[in-house]
Amino acid sequence: MDKNFVYLHINKIKNKNNNTLKTRILTLAAAVLLLSISSQVQAQVKWGEVFNKFKLEVRADGEYTTTDSTPNLGFHGKYFNFMLGGDLGGGFSYYFKQRIVANPGSVTFFDNTDFLYLDYMPNQNWRLRFGKDAMALGGFEYDASPIDVYFPTNIWRNIYCFQLAASGAYITDDGNHTFIAQVSNSPYLNYNNLNFDAGLVAYNLYWAGNMGHFHTLWSTSMVEYKWSSYLNMTMLGAKLIYDKWDLYFDFMHHALAIDDWGKNFGFVSCANYYFTPQFNIFVKGMYEQNKSDVTLGSSVSIDHQLASGHATARYGLGFEWFPTEQKNVRLHIYGCRMTDSYTDNAGQDVTDASWNFNIGATWTMDYFKLFKK
């Protein structure tokens, strides 16, 4: 065998080994550098600054409803929500809540997104917000997260409350009072299948007050249902909060014209008694009516919250139980009576009545708390 070939082959092996050694040294140095940078970054940016909310929540119910014909019975998924929020620095923060549903959006890209907004707080007293938000309407039933509401009012069920909006808020020094002025898209874009640029908006004024045991959520709104024509919505909520019990009362009034007062209104009240921090009983009742004479066209009601000429009532009793100390699992059961009174096409007064029984579970997977540990 040629000696030069042997020497050349040996040198190749040596060079290969040297290159491998150099590669390993460089890789180790890069890993040490990355760990050093990572440690510095973690020292500068904490998890809680970027994410202060990161969780999934789910609710599934089994329901039985009696009717004059065939009873309705079955299980269904009620809610599946993904939530993310945190601080961006410089007074900016964000919040994102996606209600995961199978149906695509019809009006905007964010149709199935409840919240997707950017907050800016230059100081503790002022807040500016832009993005997908809840319309600034009063009332404690409306204010509650949908996943926590049982047998709601028609107004709660039928209003397209999550709209793209811009708002400004003033918060008092003690943090007990918040005043909000908001301009949002009108829910009539959704009702009438209009494009986002149809020019319909809603103007909302809102006050949230905390006076010890007594809390308020009040609002008045001018909601445009066609160009330069408005529905006035006034929502007044009051709540008493004590250690073992709480009670709220919401009054809701709609007016479609100057002489339309006192015909279209509703109220809802709910009381909770807490036997223990993990177990409570609640009683809830409501009444709503739409006796307005103002209609759009020949027969379609302008106010989409409740059909014109109808009066409805619901009342019932329920229980909630949180079997874990973290309250990340909730079991509930309730029963309620429902009535709907109206005049049919023959001029006869009709009252439809039914019972609804519901049992279900809600569970929350709070990844922020898990990762924080």
Coordinates of all heavy atoms in Angstrom, one line a residue, residues 60-63 73-78 359-360:
A60 N -70.7 21.8 30.5 CA -71.6 20.9 29.8 C -72.8 20.6 30.7 O -72.7 20.5 31.9 CB -70.9 19.5 29.5
D61 N -74.0 20.6 30.0 CA -75.3 20.5 30.7 C -76.1 19.3 30.2 O -76.0 19.0 29.0 CB -76.1 21.8 30.6 CG -75.5 22.9 31.3 OD1 -74.4 22.8 31.8 OD2 -76.2 24.0 31.3
G62 N -76.9 18.8 31.1 CA -78.0 17.9 30.7 C -79.3 18.6 31.0 O -79.5 19.1 32.1
E63 N -80.2 18.6 30.0 CA -81.5 19.4 30.2 C -82.7 18.5 29.8 O -82.7 17.7 28.9 CB -81.4 20.6 29.3 CG -80.5 21.7 29.8 CD -80.7 23.0 29.1 OE1 -80.4 23.1 27.9 OE2 -81.3 23.9 29.7
L73 N -85.1 16.4 25.7 CA -84.2 15.8 26.7 C -82.8 15.5 26.0 O -82.8 15.0 24.9 CB -84.8 14.5 27.2 CG -83.9 13.6 28.1 CD1 -83.6 14.4 29.4 CD2 -84.5 12.3 28.4
G74 N -81.7 15.9 26.7 CA -80.4 15.5 26.1 C -79.3 16.2 26.9 O -79.5 17.1 27.8
F75 N -78.1 15.9 26.5 CA -76.9 16.5 27.0 C -76.2 17.3 25.9 O -76.3 17.0 24.7 CB -75.9 15.4 27.4 CG -76.4 14.6 28.6 CD1 -77.0 13.4 28.3 CD2 -76.2 15.0 29.9 CE1 -77.5 12.6 29.4 CE2 -76.6 14.2 30.9 CZ -77.3 13.0 30.7
H76 N -75.6 18.4 26.3 CA -75.0 19.3 25.2 C -73.8 20.1 25.9 O -73.9 20.4 27.1 CB -76.0 20.2 24.6 CG -76.6 21.2 25.5 ND1 -76.4 22.6 25.3 CD2 -77.3 21.1 26.6 CE1 -77.0 23.3 26.2 NE2 -77.6 22.4 27.0
G77 N -72.8 20.3 25.1 CA -71.7 21.2 25.5 C -72.2 22.7 25.5 O -72.7 23.1 24.4
K78 N -72.1 23.3 26.6 CA -72.6 24.7 26.7 C -71.6 25.7 26.3 O -71.9 26.6 25.5 CB -73.1 24.9 28.1 CG -74.0 26.1 28.3 CD -75.4 25.9 27.9 CE -76.3 27.0 28.3 NZ -77.7 26.8 27.8
I359 N -78.9 19.9 34.9 CA -77.8 19.5 35.7 C -76.6 19.6 34.9 O -76.6 19.2 33.7 CB -78.1 18.1 36.3 CG1 -77.0 17.7 37.3 CG2 -78.2 17.1 35.2 CD1 -77.2 16.4 38.0
G360 N -75.5 20.1 35.5 CA -74.3 20.2 34.7 C -73.0 20.4 35.5 O -73.1 20.5 36.7

